[in-house]
Amino acid sequence: MGIHDRTPQVRHIDPDLLPATTHSYLARAAGSLSEAVTAEDAATRYASAHVAALRAAAALLAARARPHDRGRRRPQRNAWVLLAEVAPELGEWATFFAAGAGKRSAAESGSERAVSAREADDLVRDADRFLGLVEQSLGLTPHLDVDITRSARVAG
């Protein structure tokens, strides 16, 4: 059973108490997802979808993360590691998106062979689902799923 086969149980947060940065990251995630859907090439679709997921993760981290003790230095960790710690119910998603960071980097650097059209379209769908799960865990009404028909038509 993989991440696509089940919906994790999420811990709800009172949406009225969410910090402004959480809302900002969610809006930016939606913008990146929209960019991914309308992009003509697979590399841009993939990179934009991955950035959308990263921004959704940042939104959840902004809402749930607790500041560490000021006297102690902790090693820096990336957003996916932090997400798995702060929201263990989304740990499989964190692992999944962390594994795609190298491909995103290659796609952003202009490599046309970094990802296939199928991989890009799949990641757009995955980022869309992940954004909905983050919204739900924040006590918000999840957005409507994106229609990737345009990107699939361009790729096909």
Side-chain angles (χ1 to χ4, degrees), residues 39-42 45 116-121 148-156:
E40 297 285 328
D41 63 288
R45 279 197 315 278
S116 68
R118 170 75 187 261
E119 288 174 305
D121 288 342
I148 69 155
T149 309
R150 174 166 166 59
S151 61
R153 186 176 55 248
V154 170

Side-chain angles (χ1 to χ4, degrees), residues 8-132:
Q9 290 189 343
V10 292
R11 188 181 97 206
H12 292 284
I13 297 171
D14 183 348
D16 294 331
L17 301 177
L18 294 174
T21 53
T22 295
H23 293 289
S24 176
Y25 279 124
L26 288 172
R28 293 173 68 197
S32 294
L33 193 56
S34 178
E35 182 181 324
V37 170
T38 59
E40 297 285 328
D41 63 288
T44 302
R45 279 197 315 278
Y46 189 94
S48 296
H50 197 274
V51 168
L54 187 58
R55 288 177 171 164
L60 190 64
L61 290 172
R64 284 196 191 175
R66 290 175 177 71
H68 66 282
D69 296 335
R70 293 181 190 259
R72 260 185 17 198
R73 286 289 282 175
R74 292 177 60 167
Q76 274 195 317
R77 292 165 293 174
N78 71 35
W80 302 119
V81 171
L82 290 171
L83 181 68
E85 290 175 8
V86 171
E89 71 276 10
L90 297 175
E92 288 182 64
W93 282 99
T95 300
F96 172 75
F97 285 115
K103 282 188 179 189
R104 185 196 83 220
S105 181
E108 288 175 331
S109 70
S111 171
E112 294 184 20
R113 294 182 177 173
V115 296
S116 68
R118 170 75 187 261
E119 288 174 305
D121 288 342
D122 287 348
L123 194 67
V124 170
R125 281 187 285 274
D126 292 335
D128 180 48
R129 182 155 184 242
F130 179 69
L131 176 56

